[in-house]
Amino acid sequence: MSDVPGTHEPMRGSEANAPTPAPENPLSLSSMARDARQELAEGLKNSVSDLIYTGLMYAGFILAILLPIAGIAVGGLFLLRAISSGRSKFLPLATIIASIVFWVATASPLGILPVLLGVL
């Protein structure tokens, strides 16, 4: 062996051809495949959940413009959910703020919805 710690001389002779010991509890391929399927299913479920959450938050933001009182309610519900699940609180807060701004700007809890319906 070398005198420098952390450096080793290469194995020679019978040491190089020695088999590595088998693990204590070898996993079968079927159990590894089962674990991989479970992890894939959990990851897919989390991805779909995140996609639905984000989509509903954007729908709530649009609702904040059209119907501010409903935007405040949706923003508040999603803010509570974001706090409890550790998600970002930016979009729920933006929804609540946009709802209040559009409510004040239009002086109506119905927001710009009556204007849009009047144009149609």
Side-chain angles (χ1 to χ4, degrees):
M1 288 277 193
S2 172
D3 293 334
V4 179
T7 59
H8 303 284
E9 294 179 16
M11 289 191 257
R12 294 193 176 102
S14 64
E15 293 178 4
N17 296 332
T20 26
E24 294 293 324
N25 295 323
L27 294 174
S28 67
L29 288 177
S30 63
S31 67
M32 288 173 53
R34 185 177 351 106
D35 292 343
R37 280 193 308 264
Q38 288 174 349
E39 287 180 19
L40 180 63
E42 184 176 329
L44 184 61
K45 182 181 76 167
N46 290 340
S47 296
V48 169
S49 174
D50 288 344
L51 186 63
I52 290 172
Y53 176 82
T54 304
L56 288 175
M57 266 318 307
Y58 282 116
F61 193 78
I62 292 169
L63 190 62
I65 296 169
L66 296 176
L67 194 61
I69 201 156
I72 290 172
V74 168
L77 289 173
F78 278 100
L79 181 62
L80 291 175
R81 183 172 171 158
I83 290 170
S84 67
S85 65
R87 296 177 188 250
S88 173
K89 294 155 199 67
F90 175 76
L91 200 52
L93 286 174
T95 302
I96 293 170
I97 292 169
S99 296
I100 293 171
V101 166
F102 276 98
W103 191 348
V104 169
T106 59
S108 166
L110 297 178
I112 63 170
L113 190 61
V115 175
L116 291 176
L117 292 177
V119 171
L120 297 176

